[in-house]
Amino acid sequence: MGERFHLPAVASTLLPVALCILTLLPHSILGRPAEEENAGSSALLQRVKRGWVWNQFFVLEEYTGLEPLYIGKLHSDMDKGDGSIKYILSGEGAGTTFTIDDSTGDIHALQRLDREVKSQYLLRAQARNRLTDRPLEPESQFIVKIQDINDNEPRFLDGPYQATVPEMSNIGTSVIQLTATDADDPTYGNSARVVYSIVEGQPYFSVDAKTGVVRVSLADMDRETRENYTVVIQAKDMGGQLGGLAGTTTVNVTLGDINDNPPMFDQRLYQMSIPEAAPVGSVVGRIWAKDRDIGLNAEMVYNIIDGDGRDQFDISTDPTNLFGIITVKKPLNFEGKPSYTLKVEGANTHLDPSLRHRGPFKDVTIVHVSVEDVDEPPQFESPEYYVELSEDAEIGTLVKTISARDPDAANNTVRYSIDKSSDPEKFFYVELTTGSLMTVRSLDREEIGWHNITVLAMEMNNPTKISSVSVAVRVLDVNDNPPTLTHYLEAYVCENAKAGQLVKTVTAVDPDEPLGGNASTTAWLQRPLTTLTSPSETTKVHRHVQHGVDPDAAGGWSHQDQTVFYLPIFISDGEQPVQSSTSTLTVRVCSCDHDGNVLSCTAEAYTLPASLSRGALIAILACIFVLLVMILLMLSLRTHRKKPFLCDEEENVHENIVRYDDEGGGEEDTEAFDIAAMWNPREAHHHPGKMRQDMLPEIESLSRYVPQACVMGGGDSSVHGYVLAKLLDADMDACAPPYDSLQTYAYEGEGSVAESLSSLQSGTSNTDHEYDYLNDWGPRFKKLAEMYGVLETNTPQMW
């Protein structure tokens, strides 16, 4: 059975020869003819033709027609044209990108094909019986390849580009290499063949047409003249032919700096000034050797190579390594030298050996420094003074002449004084104009051995300029203090003491130098002690035999004969003038036991009796303390009994006492009532010339309730009668003292429905007023209602 494969018209033009492949297939696959099955022939294999012819379909990309693009036709030799065979297409893009007519076998493309997206498709085709869907032939594969067209321009994927090339580079120096990519098929035609050209940047740069390498095309390009360049490179496909597609990119080229410019000072002479009082390290000024280069190539180092100020000034480079900083190296003195000259050199620190012919890479300038005069404080001849002075120096003795002068050219007059804090007790005085330091008080080495005095020097014309100097005065010792015993001396000796027994050790001190002195001590002793002489400061008093009298042979000591001995001790030192003193040692004769403990002395006991132990002493003190406590308790109880006890009635009386915190104004209280007038009604008189200042009453006086007989009796001098009389007079006499006075009460009427009861400054008039509302205020205002006669029932009179 033979099968044919029909190519489309477009594919037939591209493929000159159609390939046919014949294959042998077993009869079990292809099926046997009916006549062979009936004949029962032997199973001999025979060669038959395949039902499919394999080949490739080629179709151009980017088809833009309105109808589906016809790709090719599949046809089987078993197809008799009666429509009994159905063609089926499967594989990549079957049914979506490609479709087949199941009756005719025509294949069409349903979508626009793009080779750059997918270059080929693998499809499978099969012929089946339309009625039984039985495969008539095995499934075969074929490929649909997308043929490329020039539809993509070259592109620079990493643009725009940045590049750097050293200045002064030679022609042909490589700057950067560019690569453009073309998405078209590089194996088919010239669609992906790219050629490079320069659009902008000539004549400084050029580009290799094949490799895309950008190179320098102009020699001696100077960064200091122009630093940045913009180069536009174009890439065109189709080998640069007409009709090819092109793409461009930009290359920003920067010229790198090299040390090709020497430094140069912008001034040949710098003028600077500095005050003479400027401390060491002060900045005088700054200089700069300008370099057209940048970065490391512009870094400088400065040195003072000559001039009379090399030892007085120093120069260093600032942190940016560009400027030279001139500083003071030694203290300046305008009077000594008012100006200096410096020769300064500035040189590059990084040199390029290949560019030495452009040098020298250094420059020299002159710096003139003027020292400004400053009003300086006086200066002493010595930074400090040391003086030794004897403590017996007379008042007014010259200690030292302190001299200071004004270092300025004006040489102003200097005045001297002593800092009060350095000589608070005022032992010394300094002469105002000469600076002579003298004593004004007697010195005593034993009190103050050193005096540290601060002498001040001040300019006469400028009191703010003050300097000071320390004067150390050492007070030298003079033997002016006699030796003395260290403390009061008293000793005892037993009446049975033997000759040679130690009684007391005495010690003498001398405040003069050397410490302790060189004293010889002499003691004259009473009977039966002898005279002792010792050249040392410590003397031991012993019992000795004098004039052949033996106390033991005479019966020993007896405190009944003499109980107290006074031993004069004469003390003197060994220096000139000799100083001496006399002290007395009191020796008591006491009765002692065999162990030498004192039992008793006729005089006041020197020590406690040996028989009185510490426990007994504590017991006695405890008894005394208990006795004192008992006495205090008894006194306390006795005092407590004398207090009267208050009964409950008295306590109730105290609880009912009303306390008024508001006190009167004393003598200035003109509104207080004089109670003395109540007891002497006859002395009360009116001032006819004084008119009443208060308001007239709105109702009749309370005196209407007062019986006239009681009021007019005249003989009743009681307070009650006097008050009633005054009430009556107040109602009748317009010149009587005020029956009401204006008082200020901070809380009058607060919280009451009646508010203030004062008749002064009220808003009512002098006409009749009804007071019936007083009955509504409750029982507290019952008496007030009775006074104004508004009670509903007849009540007896209140008086």
Side-chain angles (χ1 to χ4, degrees):
M1 180 182 63
E3 294 178 350
R4 296 189 303 273
F5 171 67
H6 299 277
L7 297 175
V10 177
S12 62
T13 59
L14 300 176
L15 299 176
V17 180
L19 301 178
C20 297
I21 302 175
L22 300 176
T23 59
L24 296 176
L25 296 176
H27 288 282
S28 61
I29 300 176
L30 300 176
R32 297 179 179 179
E35 59 272 18
E36 292 182 358
E37 294 178 358
N38 297 330
S41 59
S42 60
L44 296 176
L45 296 177
Q46 297 180 359
R47 293 179 62 87
V48 296
K49 292 192 299 182
R50 279 182 59 98
W52 296 99
V53 177
W54 180 90
N55 211 326
Q56 294 180 347
F57 289 93
F58 292 90
V59 59
L60 291 176
E61 65 173 337
E62 304 295 343
Y63 172 73
T64 58
L66 298 178
E67 298 295 332
L69 176 64
Y70 178 74
I71 295 178
K73 183 180 181 62
L74 299 179
H75 183 74
S76 175
D77 290 342
M78 298 181 64
D79 188 0
K80 304 300 183 180
D82 54 0
S84 61
I85 296 179
K86 180 176 64 173
Y87 297 96
I88 298 175
L89 183 67
S90 62
E92 296 178 345
T96 58
T97 304
F98 303 100
T99 184
I100 187 171
D101 190 338
D102 59 353
S103 299
T104 62
D106 294 336
I107 301 175
H108 293 80
L110 299 177
Q111 296 180 356
R112 184 178 179 180
L113 302 177
D114 189 354
R115 190 201 67 83
E116 286 72 37
V117 177
K118 191 172 181 61
S119 61
Q120 64 180 14
Y121 296 86
L122 179 62
L123 298 172
R124 296 184 299 275
Q126 190 177 35
R128 292 177 176 268
N129 189 296
R130 187 178 294 275
L131 296 178
T132 62
D133 201 27
R134 177 173 176 266
L136 301 179
E137 295 178 356
E139 187 179 61
S140 298
Q141 292 183 352
F142 65 94
I143 296 175
V144 177
K145 285 192 174 183
I146 310 302
Q147 191 173 359
D148 182 55
I149 63 174
N150 188 20
D151 59 341
N152 292 279
E153 72 277 3
R155 294 183 178 181
F156 296 92
L157 302 181
D158 299 329
Y161 299 87
Q162 303 290 334
T164 302
V165 63
E167 62 176 333
M168 301 296 176
S169 296
N170 298 325
I171 296 176
T173 302
S174 176
V175 179
I176 189 174
Q177 182 176 8
L178 306 178
T179 301
T181 58
D182 196 323
D184 294 328
D185 188 1
T187 63
Y188 180 76
N190 295 327
S191 298
R193 183 185 172 190
V194 179
V195 175
Y196 300 93
S197 61
I198 184 169
V199 178
E200 182 182 345
Q202 294 176 337
Y204 308 104
F205 301 95
S206 62
V207 64
D208 190 288
K210 294 182 179 180
T211 62
V213 176
V214 179
R215 302 181 184 276
V216 176
S217 61
L218 183 64
D220 297 334
M221 287 191 297
D222 191 3
R223 185 202 65 83
E224 288 73 33
T225 302
R226 181 179 178 182
E227 183 177 4
N228 298 311
Y229 296 85
T230 300
V231 180
V232 179
I233 303 297
Q234 182 188 67
K236 189 174 183 180
D237 58 10
M238 298 298 292
Q241 297 179 4
L242 185 63
L245 303 179
T248 60
T249 188
T250 301
V251 181
N252 296 317
V253 181
T254 302
L255 296 183
D257 182 64
I258 62 173
N259 194 6
D260 59 339
N261 293 280
M264 183 176 296
F265 288 100
D266 54 357
Q267 294 180 226
R268 289 294 132 192
L269 177 63
Y270 288 87
Q271 294 285 349
M272 300 180 182
S273 61
I274 184 73
E276 63 173 335
V280 175
S282 301
V283 176
V284 180
R286 186 177 70 169
I287 61 175
W288 181 22
K290 295 183 179 180
D291 195 328
R292 299 178 63 191
D293 299 321
I294 59 175
L296 295 176
N297 298 320
E299 291 185 358
M300 305 292 297
V301 61
Y302 298 89
N303 293 290
I304 300 176
I305 59 177
D306 200 1
D308 56 1
R310 297 179 61 182
D311 298 334
Q312 204 72 25
F313 299 93
D314 197 3
I315 190 170
S316 60
T317 308
D318 75 324
T320 62
N321 294 323
L322 297 178
F323 301 94
I325 308 298
I326 300 176
T327 57
V328 178
K329 187 177 181 181
K330 293 182 180 180
L332 303 174
N333 187 4
F334 172 80
E335 291 72 22
K337 188 172 179 59
S339 64
Y340 297 88
T341 301
L342 305 175
K343 186 177 183 180
V344 181
E345 178 188 73
N348 285 134
T349 56
H350 299 84
L351 301 178
D352 189 350
S354 61
L355 300 174
R356 289 187 179 274
H357 61 282
R358 293 178 175 266
F361 291 89
K362 57 185 178 180
D363 197 12
V364 177
T365 188
I366 302 299
V367 179
H368 184 267
V369 181
S370 299
V371 180
E372 297 177 354
D373 187 21
V374 176
D375 190 4
E376 301 174 273
Q379 293 182 355
F380 290 93
E381 294 180 353
S382 176
E384 59 184 12
Y385 294 90
Y386 170 78
V387 182
E388 292 182 350
L389 184 64
S390 177
E391 65 176 329
D392 61 350
E394 297 180 358
I395 297 177
T397 301
L398 177 63
V399 179
K400 186 73 175 180
T401 299
I402 311 300
S403 179
R405 58 175 297 273
D406 183 9
D408 299 322
N411 194 15
N412 294 322
T413 305
V414 178
R415 294 292 181 261
Y416 302 91
S417 62
I418 295 178
D419 188 356
K420 295 181 179 180
S421 61
S422 64
D423 187 21
E425 299 182 3
K426 299 181 179 180
F427 283 94
F428 300 92
Y429 165 77
V430 63
E431 211 281 328
L432 183 64
T433 58
T434 63
S436 298
L437 183 63
M438 297 176 291
T439 59
V440 294
R441 289 181 56 187
S442 299
L443 304 179
D444 190 353
R445 187 202 65 84
E446 286 71 35
E447 293 183 0
I448 303 177
W450 284 85
H451 295 269
N452 294 317
I453 304 170
T454 301
V455 178
L456 306 178
M458 177 186 68
E459 286 188 16
M460 187 66 178
N461 296 338
N462 190 358
T464 61
K465 299 301 178 180
I466 301 176
S467 58
S468 62
V469 68
S470 177
V471 181
V473 180
R474 179 187 178 187
V475 180
L476 300 179
D477 182 53
V478 175
N479 191 20
D480 57 348
N481 293 280
T484 58
L485 297 181
T486 57
H487 54 276
Y488 176 74
L489 297 178
E490 188 175 13
Y492 72 93
V493 62
C494 296
E495 59 182 351
N496 58 354
K498 298 179 181 181
Q501 181 177 333
L502 177 64
V503 177
K504 187 71 174 181
T505 300
V506 296
T507 303
V509 294
D510 191 342
D512 295 325
E513 291 183 345
L515 295 178
N518 185 14
S520 62
T521 304
T522 305
W524 289 271
L525 307 181
Q526 300 291 337
R527 185 192 64 83
L529 300 179
T530 186
T531 302
L532 298 179
T533 301
S534 175
S536 63
E537 65 177 3
T538 302
T539 301
K540 296 182 179 179
V541 180
H542 298 265
R543 180 183 177 192
H544 291 272
V545 179
Q546 182 182 18
H547 304 296
V549 178
D550 188 354
D552 293 333
W557 294 93
S558 176
H559 67 279
Q560 296 178 356
D561 298 337
Q562 186 175 354
T563 59
V564 179
F565 294 87
Y566 298 98
L567 177 61
I569 300 177
F570 177 82
I571 310 168
S572 63
D573 54 22
E575 297 182 2
Q576 296 297 328
V578 176
Q579 300 291 337
S580 62
S581 65
T582 302
S583 300
T584 302
L585 174 64
T586 303
V587 181
R588 299 181 183 277
V589 180
C590 303
S591 298
C592 302
D593 56 9
H594 296 288
D595 297 330
N597 298 320
V598 176
L599 296 178
S600 64
C601 296
T602 55
E604 185 178 356
Y606 182 76
T607 59
L608 290 175
S611 60
L612 186 59
S613 63
R614 182 176 298 178
L617 180 61
I618 294 176
I620 294 173
L621 294 177
C623 293
I624 296 173
F625 177 75
V626 172
L627 182 60
L628 290 175
V629 171
M630 294 178 63
I631 294 173
L632 291 175
L633 289 176
M634 293 175 64
L635 293 176
S636 178
L637 292 175
R638 187 174 181 182
T639 305
H640 184 69
R641 289 174 183 172
K642 292 182 179 180
K643 273 188 177 180
F645 293 94
L646 296 176
C647 61
D648 296 338
E649 291 77 10
E650 292 176 347
E651 291 178 356
N652 293 333
V653 171
H654 286 291
E655 291 178 355
N656 294 329
I657 293 177
V658 180
R659 180 179 179 182
Y660 296 92
D661 293 333
D662 296 334
E663 297 181 0
E667 296 178 356
E668 298 179 358
D669 189 356
T670 58
E671 296 176 356
F673 189 82
D674 187 6
I675 193 65
M678 295 183 176
W679 301 106
N680 298 294
R682 297 182 179 86
E683 296 179 5
H685 59 278
H686 306 296
H687 300 279
K690 182 179 179 180
M691 299 300 295
R692 295 183 57 164
Q693 301 297 325
D694 57 319
M695 299 173 60
L696 296 177
E698 296 179 359
I699 60 174
E700 293 183 7
S701 173
L702 297 176
S703 60
R704 61 186 178 182
Y705 292 99
V706 181
Q708 297 299 321
C710 181
V711 174
M712 302 302 295
D716 188 2
S717 61
S718 64
V719 176
H720 181 265
Y722 176 76
V723 171
L724 294 179
K726 286 299 181 182
L727 289 175
L728 181 60
D729 293 340
D731 291 338
M732 299 302 179
D733 188 3
C735 297
Y739 49 81
D740 199 357
S741 60
L742 179 62
Q743 300 286 351
T744 301
Y745 297 96
Y747 302 97
E748 180 182 0
E750 182 180 4
S752 173
V753 297
E755 299 181 350
S756 176
L757 300 180
S758 175
S759 61
L760 299 181
Q761 295 183 351
S762 62
T764 61
S765 62
N766 294 332
T767 60
D768 293 338
H769 186 76
E770 298 295 334
Y771 294 94
D772 295 337
Y773 55 85
L774 296 177
N775 294 323
D776 300 331
W777 288 2
R780 293 186 178 182
F781 297 91
K782 182 178 179 181
K783 291 185 177 182
L784 185 63
E786 293 176 355
M787 293 180 183
Y788 286 89
V790 293
L791 290 177
E792 296 178 357
T793 60
N794 294 326
T795 58
Q797 295 181 354
M798 60 179 295
W799 299 105

